[in-house]
Amino acid sequence: MLAERSTLNMVRKFCCRGHSHRTALEARFCNLISDYQDRGKLEWLEVGYRFLILDSAKYEKPMKNERSVTYNADFVYQYRNRNGSKIVCIVDTKGVAANCDGIKRKILKTMLGKIARDMLVDKVVFLEIKAADLQGKSEDEIKSILFPR
């Protein structure tokens, strides 16, 4: 029974680029943001980007080694605003939530300044996108959500 339940949760959705996504919202967002990349509005786009929160630790026996802790962002992209400033957006589409995602998300938000310094950009923005945020919106409204100033 447990194996059946886990395979049901693993149904993947595909976007027009052929990327595999966990939810239909992620696939729809990937189609939307890829369209902006084709128009040249993005400098780069990564799907499934991993941020290292805590490095792995190795201990002497009898203690067990610890794995690293990472936050898997659904999308990360960079663009330039009207002033020419480099801005990186970390996007989390709200659909599937795990128990530890909230804690990892909070830790990542506290690290935004360090991430900006490491990536050599002016600003890092964390976006949480829900299906209602994109539904029934005009192109300009969606653009203002995806490209904060």
Side-chain angles (χ1 to χ4, degrees):
M1 177 98 165
L2 185 60
E4 290 176 21
R5 200 179 305 155
S6 64
T7 55
L8 287 176
N9 290 336
M10 296 303 291
V11 174
R12 300 300 237 178
K13 309 293 182 202
F14 292 93
C15 65
C16 64
R17 304 287 176 150
H19 300 140
S20 172
H21 300 284
R22 291 182 300 170
T23 64
L25 174 62
E26 279 184 34
R28 205 167 103 219
F29 185 82
C30 189
N31 290 339
L32 181 67
I33 203 70
S34 296
D35 186 40
Y36 282 110
Q37 186 178 28
D38 290 344
R39 293 190 219 164
K41 298 193 187 279
L42 303 180
E43 294 187 5
W44 55 265
L45 167 68
E46 287 283 332
V47 178
Y49 193 88
R50 290 180 182 219
F51 290 95
L52 180 66
I53 294 176
L54 288 174
D55 212 356
S56 61
K58 297 193 185 286
Y59 300 108
E60 298 290 326
K61 299 242 178 198
M63 291 176 58
K64 292 184 179 180
N65 294 337
E66 296 290 337
R67 291 183 289 175
S68 60
V69 177
T70 59
Y71 179 80
N72 299 333
D74 295 329
F75 303 94
V76 178
Y77 58 90
Q78 180 178 317
Y79 68 96
R80 288 186 183 267
N81 66 3
R82 292 180 191 162
N83 304 333
S85 301
K86 289 183 183 178
I87 299 177
V88 169
C89 284
I90 301 169
V91 179
D92 182 25
T93 55
K94 304 308 272 168
V96 177
N99 293 339
C100 60
D101 279 353
I103 295 168
K104 289 181 182 181
R105 188 179 311 109
K106 288 176 186 175
I107 293 171
L108 185 72
K109 285 180 180 179
T110 64
M111 298 172 56
L112 292 182
K114 180 184 180 313
I115 293 169
R117 287 189 299 277
D118 291 348
M119 292 182 132
L120 303 173
V121 295
D122 299 313
K123 186 177 179 182
V124 176
V125 180
F126 190 88
L127 300 175
E128 295 178 348
I129 305 287
K130 299 178 200 115
D133 294 339
L134 303 177
Q135 206 165 18
K137 303 272 193 225
S138 70
E139 171 100 18
D140 290 335
E141 290 172 324
I142 291 174
K143 192 174 178 182
S144 69
I145 294 170
L146 300 182
F147 301 105
R149 295 178 186 181

